[in-house]
Amino acid sequence: MKGLIAKIIFAALCVVAWGPAAGADKVVFEASSPLIVAVGEAFRVEFALNARPDDGSFAPPSFEGFDVLAGPAVSEGSSIQIVNGSMTKSVEYTLTYVLMANSAGNFTVAPAAIAVDGETYRTRSLPIEVVDEGVAPGSAGAAPGSSANGEPQSRNPESEARRRLGKDDILLRAAVSRSTVYKGEPLRVTFKLYRRANVAGFQDYKVPSFNGFWAQQLNTDNAPRQRETYNGKIYETSVAWEYLLYPQQAGTLVIEPAELTAVAQVIVPSNRSADPFFGGGHDVYNVPVKVQSPRVNITVKPLPAGAPAGFSGAVGHFTMETKLPTQRLAANSAATYTVKISGTGNLTFVQAPKLTLPGSFEQYNVKTTESINTSAAGISGYRQFEYPFIARADGSFQIEPVVFSYFDPSRMEYATLRSEPLTLDVAPDAGGGGEAVVMQNRGMSKEEVRLLGEDIRFIKLGNARLRTPQQPFLFSKLYWVLLCGILLLFTAAYATLRRRIRESQNVALVRGRRANKVAVQRFRAARKYMEAHDRHAFYEEMLRALWGYVSDKFNIPVANLTKENVREELHRRGVPSDESQRFTALIAQCDEAQYSPAASVQMGDIYADGVDLISRIESIIKR
């Protein structure tokens, strides 16, 4: 029971909140239809409304040039969404007509009208091109396996797709708001895409550099799509880019072409048989089409002669407001003279007008603030200039008016704006300060302004303690000596490190240097076996020490270790023949004694001979 009551209350709240939720949306009434149709082909025209209309308020167009086969068919739907306690309601109300054209040509579906809450809304007119080809270009009305004129299709499907796409089905045009302007006068260039085929996407954009212009790109995200007739054909148009241009020099300037590649979708009948249930028999191919806008010449006229003395290049229509300081000041006190220039034109290039102050005034850097809006109509807003100054001497002073001149292209003449003259009375400094020393024709920083009034300091009295200024360590002799020493030390360390890295990467060199160390370790192991009277392990370790030494020292693979190779390598390294014979004889004794009875004294003799022999060979090779 409680659940049922809760549902009833929720439904009642939805009904109560439906009115404000539905009324909050903006009413949109639009019409849609195919761009190109064929003679005798049935097609649909839909009128869509996002609200509930008043009963009997729909007024359809006359549909001149078309036969109405059916309609209007009304479909209506609504949905309610509640997200985080916020409810939104959407309504879809659609009226559909089925039409057919009996003759070729360009026809227009007139606007339809409908009323919502007593207010009337109208659609835009819909231009439609009717072609007499048996089937509209790019449509799927042709029979599978045949071309548009009924001939058998024997081409490659991709070639057929390109053939079906006309050369003028996709165009890129550049439209300018005016072709003759004055220097500094804005013009608008719009790059529009004209298409008579479905376009899946775009790639390889290229926008001109606009040489000779100052360019500002405009936002075209909300630019609507429209239908236009060009060269007797109807296109669907959309804005690709739009720029506001300000010519910076007189003469003939050229807007270079813009480029892009449009991926058109073309339907081509296939040789495959149509599915009896789902239909088919047609393929869709993506055909890249590179389009380019034509060059556009702009004639830029120079500004007329006889410009006023205060003209600095401003072009447009402007007004000037001034905020004057109070007419009474005290000496050594600061004030600000403010000039605000508003209007439409090349505000970005407007410079601060000249403010002439008496010689006893300190004038500082001009502060500029601005608020500029860019739209298709041009640049509008304001630039404000603040002139801070300090009156350094008392008296009565006349401040000349601020003069701002600009060229008005609509009237084709110069205009001059003037501020009111100002008489400024400066009273003596209340602090009793005398006449100030003035530095003329010099702008001052903020830090210097802060120190004004403290520029004359009290002379220090008493015994002065003088000391010799110490030379800073930076760039001294000791600095350069230490720097050179650090650089030399770094160079030496770097060279040593690089040499060790190279040597560590040489496996043969590393083995050769470690041969003696490895042999000594094996001799120590052999001595332990000798002291333990383990004859077999002793002689085995002695053979490892001797063979391993020559293998590592001379980089001889284990497979090539023979007595003859060892004698040849020792002889090549400068070892006397008797020493090489002694080395091979010692290896032979170890081989024989490994499996034959021998006393520990003999093991001691062989151990001593091995250590002595390796030491002599190592000393001979290192010479």
Side-chain angles (χ1 to χ4, degrees), residues 209-268:
S209 57
F210 300 113
N211 293 327
F213 296 95
W214 182 86
Q216 175 68 46
Q217 187 173 6
L218 301 177
N219 186 7
T220 58
D221 293 340
N222 298 324
R225 291 187 177 183
Q226 298 178 346
R227 292 190 179 188
E228 297 183 16
T229 301
Y230 177 68
N231 288 339
K233 296 183 178 181
I234 298 176
Y235 292 85
E236 186 180 64
T237 65
S238 59
V239 177
W241 307 285
E242 193 168 26
Y243 285 85
L244 197 64
L245 304 181
Y246 284 84
Q248 302 298 298
Q249 61 190 43
T252 301
L253 301 181
V254 179
I255 299 178
E256 297 294 332
E259 298 178 359
L260 62 83
T261 299
V263 181
Q265 289 185 331
V266 182
I267 300 176
V268 178

Side-chain angles (χ1 to χ4, degrees), residues 101-380:
N102 294 322
S103 60
N106 292 335
F107 300 90
T108 300
V109 176
I114 202 167
V116 177
D117 295 333
E119 186 174 356
T120 302
Y121 299 89
R122 297 182 184 275
T123 63
R124 296 195 305 268
S125 58
L126 291 177
I128 299 177
E129 182 178 350
V130 181
V131 295
D132 188 8
E133 298 179 353
V135 62
S139 68
S146 63
S147 62
N149 55 11
E151 296 178 358
Q153 179 180 337
S154 59
R155 305 180 182 218
N156 186 322
E158 296 184 2
S159 301
E160 179 66 15
R162 292 183 178 275
R163 187 187 67 82
R164 285 173 172 263
L165 190 66
K167 294 183 178 179
D168 58 350
D169 280 354
I170 300 178
L171 302 173
L172 183 64
R173 300 184 62 207
V176 294
S177 58
R178 62 191 75 180
S179 59
T180 302
V181 293
Y182 282 99
K183 177 184 175 182
E185 183 182 6
L187 69 138
R188 187 176 71 257
V189 56
T190 305
F191 296 96
K192 299 179 71 174
L193 187 69
Y194 288 65
R195 51 187 173 183
R196 290 160 53 86
N198 293 330
V199 176
F202 306 97
Q203 57 190 14
D204 299 335
Y205 302 93
K206 181 182 178 183
V207 181
S209 57
F210 300 113
N211 293 327
F213 296 95
W214 182 86
Q216 175 68 46
Q217 187 173 6
L218 301 177
N219 186 7
T220 58
D221 293 340
N222 298 324
R225 291 187 177 183
Q226 298 178 346
R227 292 190 179 188
E228 297 183 16
T229 301
Y230 177 68
N231 288 339
K233 296 183 178 181
I234 298 176
Y235 292 85
E236 186 180 64
T237 65
S238 59
V239 177
W241 307 285
E242 193 168 26
Y243 285 85
L244 197 64
L245 304 181
Y246 284 84
Q248 302 298 298
Q249 61 190 43
T252 301
L253 301 181
V254 179
I255 299 178
E256 297 294 332
E259 298 178 359
L260 62 83
T261 299
V263 181
Q265 289 185 331
V266 182
I267 300 176
V268 178
S270 67
N271 295 325
R272 295 179 286 108
S273 60
D275 189 280
F277 182 78
F278 294 102
H282 299 85
D283 293 326
V284 179
Y285 290 90
N286 291 334
V287 180
V289 180
K290 185 175 182 180
V291 291
Q292 184 181 67
S293 65
R295 286 182 171 85
V296 179
N297 293 332
I298 304 297
T299 301
V300 182
K301 299 182 292 185
L303 298 179
F311 179 72
S312 60
V315 178
H317 182 72
F318 303 98
T319 59
M320 183 175 68
E321 301 176 14
T322 56
K323 184 178 179 181
L324 306 180
T326 178
Q327 294 184 352
R328 282 192 64 85
L329 291 175
N332 297 323
S333 61
T336 301
Y337 195 112
T338 303
V339 177
K340 182 178 181 181
I341 297 175
S342 308
T344 302
N346 57 350
L347 266 174
T348 309
F349 306 100
V350 171
Q351 300 178 6
K354 182 180 179 182
L355 175 64
T356 303
L357 296 176
S360 60
F361 283 42
E362 287 284 354
Q363 184 174 348
Y364 311 115
N365 298 329
V366 180
K367 178 184 177 182
T368 304
T369 57
E370 63 182 26
S371 175
I372 296 178
N373 301 317
T374 304
S375 64
I379 294 179
S380 60

Side-chain angles (χ1 to χ4, degrees), residues 456-470:
I456 300 178
R457 304 299 177 90
F458 185 72
I459 299 176
K460 185 176 182 179
L461 302 178
N463 296 328
R465 292 181 296 176
L466 304 179
R467 58 183 180 180
T468 303
Q470 296 181 354

Side-chain angles (χ1 to χ4, degrees), residues 17-27 50-52 87-91 116-117:
W18 173 81
D25 294 336
K26 180 181 178 181
V27 177
N50 67 338
R52 191 180 303 274
M87 184 174 66
T88 58
K89 178 178 176 63
S90 62
V91 177
V116 177
D117 295 333

